[in-house]
Amino acid sequence: MTQTLIIGAGITGASLAFQLARRGETVTVIATHTNGGLASAASFGWLNASYYLSHPHYHLRHEGLAAHRRLMEAVPGLPTSWSGCLWYEATGPAQEETASDLAALGYRVDRLSRLQIAERLPTLGPIPETALFFPEEGVADPGVLARALIAASGAQVVTATVLDVTHAQGRVSGVLTDLGPMPADRVILATGTGTPALLAPFGYTLPMLKRPGLMVRTNPLPPICPVVLATPDQEVRQDREGRLVAPASAGHQSDHAETLGAFPVVVNATLQRLRALFPGHDIHFAHQAMALRPVPGDGLPVVGQGPVEGLWLAVMHSGATLAPIVAECLAAEISGGSDSPLLTDFRPSRFK
């Protein structure tokens, strides 16, 4: 029986474990950290296709939303909800251009007036003149989702640090860990920013952007933000416990900053923006999660066969949206199916 090792227990590795297990594969997940990963635990968790870098990227993200819904049917009780997103990161002609572009792709877009915005979000302080509403979008906690999918997969989980990917005669043979060698017929790297170091011995360079992310959670509050809210200054959502969840940078998805700044300054600035959005509420800092986001050099996913037979790669941002569809497509390929057209533009070979 084929033995598959998945390195990484974030949302990408967990989704792959689930999909491969459904196909009868024997899967072991190796993770340095607890199930849920580092980047996944620090994710905003916004599921969307309104942000995209190319038309193939849009289609992959859009299919990602459908794949999340299929997961909800397969595993009841997953922490995924479909609140929609109220968006006005751009205004005026730029907002209308966004609406027209998305509508032309078949995305559902509602144009809202100031009155309609106030009706949907009466707690919002400054009400913009117009906004877009994306009803297909939702939220999930990728760390919690990853743990649920690993549990549903039945995969064995080993806590260890992978030091090297071993190979012989042009084919992967397993990994070397701090606990010793682990043989395998397949190895899948769902290792985020740790991937380049594991590929370097093969003479393969995977460029990664430096994109630190800091997620702030507040004290529990009454229901004040029933949607994902994307403004020019702040993205924010409210979790099931009533806490506001907010990236510490505006335009989190397209943020190009390589440093975060001093922690107290960044957190206080985020809290000030939240208090301006929701005046009259006692908003305070409660928790933070920080990680380097796994953003490949061109911003697009890297998915497919690696530099030797039996070695596969799955590195992407945002895994919150993309992991379920990437796992469906890649698991089918790994199990002997045909190449997925959805993954054509995202193969590792583009960096050779």
Side-chain angles (χ1 to χ4, degrees), residues 1-351:
M1 183 176 290
T2 302
Q3 173 64 40
T4 300
L5 296 181
I6 298 175
I7 317 305
I11 184 59
T12 301
S15 297
L16 283 161
F18 178 76
Q19 292 297 340
L20 286 166
R22 294 185 85 187
R23 289 167 170 78
E25 302 285 345
T26 301
V27 178
T28 298
V29 177
I30 305 177
T32 304
H33 307 282
T34 57
N35 293 356
L38 288 180
S40 293
S43 170
F44 185 39
W46 177 10
L47 312 180
N48 74 81
S50 52
Y51 172 79
Y52 63 91
L53 298 176
S54 66
H55 282 183
H57 191 217
Y58 163 81
H59 291 300
L60 185 65
R61 292 179 69 90
H62 198 216
E63 286 298 319
L65 302 183
H68 269 283
R69 289 181 165 89
R70 289 190 288 271
L71 275 182
M72 294 179 73
E73 294 178 0
V75 186
L78 291 181
T80 306
S81 60
W82 303 100
S83 59
C85 170
L86 198 151
W87 185 93
Y88 55 99
E89 286 186 343
T91 59
Q95 185 182 107
E96 181 54 34
E97 181 180 1
T98 296
S100 298
D101 288 347
L102 287 169
L105 288 167
Y107 207 55
R108 292 179 59 192
V109 180
D110 298 333
R111 294 170 173 83
L112 303 184
S113 67
R114 193 173 191 275
L115 179 59
Q116 291 170 318
I117 297 166
E119 290 174 346
R120 284 177 182 263
L121 206 59
T123 55
L124 188 62
I127 306 293
E129 290 301 317
T130 60
L132 306 179
F133 184 70
F134 306 132
E136 296 182 62
E137 299 184 353
V139 296
D141 183 323
V144 175
L145 182 57
R147 291 191 289 273
L149 291 177
I150 289 175
S153 75
Q156 179 186 6
V157 179
V158 176
T159 302
T161 298
V162 173
L163 307 174
D164 194 16
V165 178
T166 57
H167 59 100
Q169 299 179 334
R171 180 174 181 83
V172 76
S173 58
V175 298
L176 176 64
T177 77
D178 58 347
L179 301 180
M182 295 185 66
D185 303 289
R186 301 191 194 104
V187 174
I188 307 173
L189 300 183
T191 39
T193 58
T195 309
L198 293 173
L199 292 175
F202 296 97
Y204 184 97
T205 300
L206 176 61
M208 298 289 288
L209 301 175
K210 185 180 180 182
R211 295 292 183 266
L214 173 64
M215 206 60 53
V216 174
R217 291 181 187 263
T218 71
N219 53 307
L221 297 161
I224 59 174
C225 188
V227 298
V228 177
L229 180 63
T231 82
D233 301 314
Q234 184 68 60
E235 296 166 352
V236 59
R237 65 178 180 89
Q238 192 167 20
D239 66 17
R240 295 183 180 184
E241 287 73 40
R243 300 169 296 185
L244 296 179
V245 182
S249 60
H252 175 65
Q253 293 184 109
S254 57
D255 176 36
H256 293 165
E258 294 189 352
T259 59
L260 288 172
F263 177 79
V265 175
V266 171
V267 170
N268 286 333
T270 305
L271 292 173
Q272 289 300 324
R273 293 193 296 268
L274 293 175
R275 291 164 184 155
L277 283 173
F278 302 105
H281 291 276
D282 191 22
I283 298 174
H284 296 287
F285 170 79
H287 178 72
Q288 62 85 21
M290 183 165 47
L292 286 174
R293 291 170 281 172
V295 186
D298 58 4
L300 297 170
V302 178
V303 185
Q305 181 76 50
V308 295
E309 188 177 351
L311 179 61
W312 299 80
L313 311 182
V315 182
M316 70 207 74
H317 179 74
S318 158
T321 295
L322 292 174
I325 186 60
V326 166
E328 284 185 3
C329 296
L330 195 58
E333 292 183 6
I334 289 171
S335 302
S338 57
D339 289 354
S340 169
L342 279 173
L343 301 181
T344 298
D345 289 76
F346 310 112
R347 299 302 186 181
S349 57
R350 72 183 188 271
F351 290 118

